[in-house]
Amino acid sequence: LDALSAWLNDIQQRGLSTVTLETYRREVERFMLWAVTEHKKAASSIGITDLIAYEAFLAAPPAHWQSKVPVRHASVQWRPFRGPLRPN
């Protein structure tokens, strides 16, 4: 978690666009949620095989991770994804 936080802070210092920074933050949040809630591992225990499992998860996130309509992040109805990911 410290490494991910340090990485986000480092890239923020590089002058990237707000959209890029928000995208990176969102992806880190999704990864952390997956690691703890779906994969049942702390980020400090993640290895390459876990990253491969996460990549497979991203190919088809389960329905309980998706919300078809925009919901505020603070809402109990918020979900990490707004539907399946596009191939790109």
Side-chain angles (χ1 to χ4, degrees):
L1 188 54
D2 288 342
L4 289 170
S5 294
W7 177 70
L8 286 172
N9 286 334
D10 179 61
I11 62 169
Q12 189 172 7
Q13 302 302 316
R14 296 180 189 197
L16 297 174
S17 75
T18 303
V19 172
T20 299
L21 292 172
E22 177 56 27
T23 300
Y24 286 179
R25 187 211 53 80
R26 182 183 65 234
E27 295 309 321
V28 167
E29 180 180 29
R30 285 175 173 172
F31 173 72
M32 295 300 299
L33 285 169
W34 170 84
V36 172
T37 64
E38 295 288 321
H39 203 55
K40 309 294 189 220
K41 275 192 172 181
S44 59
S45 300
I46 295 294
I48 188 67
T49 56
D50 303 306
L51 295 175
I52 293 167
Y54 182 61
E55 184 177 36
F57 172 85
L58 289 176
H64 68 275
W65 274 65
Q66 299 178 37
S67 173
K68 300 294 183 201
V69 296
V71 178
R72 295 181 61 92
H73 196 279
S75 170
V76 296
Q77 296 174 338
W78 176 84
R79 301 293 180 265
F81 296 95
R82 284 261 215 75
L85 298 176
R86 293 186 304 261
N88 63 345

